[in-house]
Amino acid sequence: MATQATGIFKQVAIKREVTYGTIPVAASAQLLRRVQSTVDLSKDTYSSNEIRPDMQIADFRHGVRRVKGSLQGELSPKTYSDILSSMLKRDFTAGVSVASLTLTIGGSAGAWTVTRSAGSYLTDGFKIGDVVTLAGCTNAGNNANNLLIYALTATVATCIVLNASSLTAETSSASACTVAVKGKKTWIPTSGQTDNSYSLEHWYNDTTQSEVFSGIKFDKGTINLPPTGMATAQFDVIGQNITTAQTRYFTSPTAITSTGVVAAVNGVLVVNGVAQAVVTGLSIVIDPTFSGDPVVGANVIPNQFAGPVNVTGQFTAYFTDNTLRDLFVNETESSLIVALTTNNTASADFVTFVLPRIKLGGQQKNDGTGGIVQTFPFQALLNVNGGTGQSTEQTTILIQDSAA
């Protein structure tokens, strides 16, 4: 009996292309973690429309090739950072770090304040939604915690500790402290946008079959955060062509990432500057629009042309008061920040999504004997008032990844 391919032996590897549709050199590809990858080749097909005396169809042809499908996985730091950065049209870059600060730590749980004696957080480039760490504090317990900034002035950062642990009030020794954005960030830029494409290989190790899909672009990404269970990510693809072989193309790819999976029970959700304890679910959809048309004399589409990046989503929350409902009723613009960690330690790896300007597009309540839940669809918008020297970034969405 012939060997049958099995999913457990299938491996998925990816690498950026230098030229759209041209498979890059085999070295330095990245193996991907997945729940499933359904990327595959499809073709336009055509049946003859002739009216024949034999009352039958006499011809059937294949037309333009198209690669379609999706890559589905559980969200973890670093694993999908390259894909996410391509969808946002900007590579991840290191966040700001400022040393030789004198800091005063005060406040209380959920509203810790980190006050600097000189200089400006805004001028230095810190933003609302940044997760930062401190170093050099007098009390060692204040160092290395993941602190989410949810309010910011030139000298005061108001923070939540992501694992809800406490800080200790102090004034540090003169010029002893460092405040640093952890990991790297990306966002949709207002200029200089990238337009990356990839080649993706399905290697069936048990049947020694290789399928390399070229000209891959990610035309939709959906991040789902259920109230229990793992956060998930789905990336829909469009591509140009397939190359098959009986030997692996991406030889010796980099091993899959080893970061933990993020979950709803670990992290913080902030809507309109207020941490939420009643939200029951969240989804964010990143939709970079692409368009491409067939041309005469070719069986592939020569390119997929980039359009605007549309960011939408929805969250659900228990109906407790008028606060969230009235954001919709009064057409009040707000913001959304979600930070998801891999565990409940103070310095856990994390991924954050910051939407500095959103507008709710509806609110619908369910009914029944249990708690009443409201559903709020939203549209994310360009934050026209953000940018250099401001407390927020001039973008629609910003992503921070501690391991990118």
Side-chain angles (χ1 to χ4, degrees):
M1 182 177 179
T3 301
Q4 298 175 336
T6 55
I8 195 67
F9 290 109
K10 172 183 170 181
Q11 295 183 1
V12 180
I14 194 169
K15 186 177 180 181
R16 281 193 192 183
E17 296 174 344
V18 177
T19 303
Y20 177 77
T22 300
I23 301 172
V25 297
S28 304
Q30 173 66 56
L31 280 179
L32 286 177
R33 295 155 66 172
R34 75 185 196 281
V35 171
Q36 65 174 353
S37 174
T38 61
V39 178
D40 220 329
L41 177 71
S42 65
K43 295 182 184 180
D44 296 347
T45 57
Y46 317 99
S47 296
S48 172
N49 291 319
E50 288 181 332
I51 300 173
R52 298 168 54 90
D54 54 27
M55 302 175 65
Q56 297 176 67
I57 296 172
D59 205 356
F60 176 84
R61 300 293 301 276
H62 287 193
V64 172
R65 296 181 169 210
R66 304 175 192 267
V67 174
K68 299 179 181 179
S70 66
L71 174 67
Q72 301 168 41
E74 295 173 335
L75 185 63
S76 55
K78 189 176 182 178
T79 302
Y80 303 111
S81 60
D82 195 40
I83 294 173
L84 287 166
S85 69
S86 290
M87 298 181 77
L88 269 55
K89 316 292 186 183
R90 181 186 181 277
D91 289 344
F92 275 91
T93 54
V96 65
S97 177
V98 179
S100 302
L101 298 176
T102 301
L103 300 179
T104 299
I105 298 175
S108 58
W112 300 105
T113 56
V114 182
T115 304
R116 58 193 291 173
S117 62
S120 170
Y121 286 122
L122 304 181
T123 301
D124 289 336
F126 292 94
K127 303 294 181 185
I128 290 173
D130 284 350
V131 176
V132 300
T133 59
L134 308 180
C137 294
T138 303
N139 292 284
N142 290 335
N143 296 321
N145 295 287
N146 291 327
L147 307 179
L148 172 66
I149 299 174
Y150 70 91
L152 187 65
T153 68
T155 58
V156 181
T158 305
C159 308
I160 300 171
V161 184
L162 289 189
N163 76 333
S165 59
S166 295
L167 301 181
T168 301
E170 70 164 80
T171 297
S172 68
S173 301
S175 303
C177 293
T178 298
V179 180
V181 172
K182 188 172 180 178
K184 296 181 179 180
K185 302 195 301 183
T186 188
W187 58 88
I188 306 171
T190 56
S191 63
Q193 297 89 347
T194 60
D195 185 19
N196 298 322
S197 64
Y198 294 83
S199 288
L200 182 147
E201 181 180 28
H202 287 173
W203 167 243
Y204 299 90
N205 191 50
D206 45 6
T207 59
T208 61
Q209 295 293 316
S210 168
E211 298 175 344
V212 181
F213 304 97
S214 52
I216 293 287
K217 292 187 178 183
F218 295 92
D219 68 337
K220 186 182 231 183
T222 303
I223 308 299
N224 277 311
L225 177 62
T228 61
M230 304 299 191
T232 63
Q234 176 172 318
F235 303 102
D236 297 343
V237 310
I238 52 174
Q240 187 184 65
N241 210 347
I242 186 174
T243 301
T244 62
Q246 282 70 54
T247 57
R248 188 175 198 163
Y249 180 78
F250 288 130
T251 54
S252 303
T254 302
I256 61 172
T257 59
S258 59
T259 49
V261 177
V262 300
V265 295
N266 302 118
V268 172
L269 176 65
V270 178
V271 178
N272 208 30
V274 179
Q276 300 292 320
V278 296
V279 170
T280 59
L282 170 69
S283 65
I284 299 172
V285 179
I286 305 169
D287 188 2
T289 52
F290 292 98
S291 62
D293 297 307
V295 295
V296 174
N299 68 348
V300 296
I301 295 174
N303 204 348
Q304 294 289 341
F305 300 100
V309 183
N310 185 28
V311 181
T312 58
Q314 73 171 32
F315 63 90
T316 54
Y318 283 120
F319 184 34
T320 58
D321 58 30
N322 65 314
T323 303
L324 294 175
R325 181 200 64 198
D326 286 357
L327 291 176
F328 169 68
V329 171
N330 299 322
E331 199 178 345
T332 302
E333 292 185 357
S334 57
S335 59
L336 187 148
I337 303 168
V338 58
L340 304 170
T341 62
T342 57
N343 57 57
N344 204 38
T345 60
S347 58
D349 277 321
F350 62 84
V351 180
T352 67
F353 298 87
V354 181
L355 285 67
R357 182 184 172 216
I358 66 170
K359 188 176 286 189
L360 301 185
Q363 70 90 31
Q364 182 68 48
K365 303 177 190 67
N366 70 348
D367 198 5
T369 58
I372 291 178
V373 174
Q374 304 171 100
T375 298
F376 299 98
F378 62 81
Q379 173 71 56
L381 301 167
L382 173 62
N383 181 34
V384 293
N385 294 320
T388 303
Q390 304 300 314
S391 62
T392 53
E393 194 59 68
Q394 189 176 34
T395 191
T396 302
I397 183 172
L398 180 149
I399 302 173
Q400 184 178 349
D401 187 322
S402 65

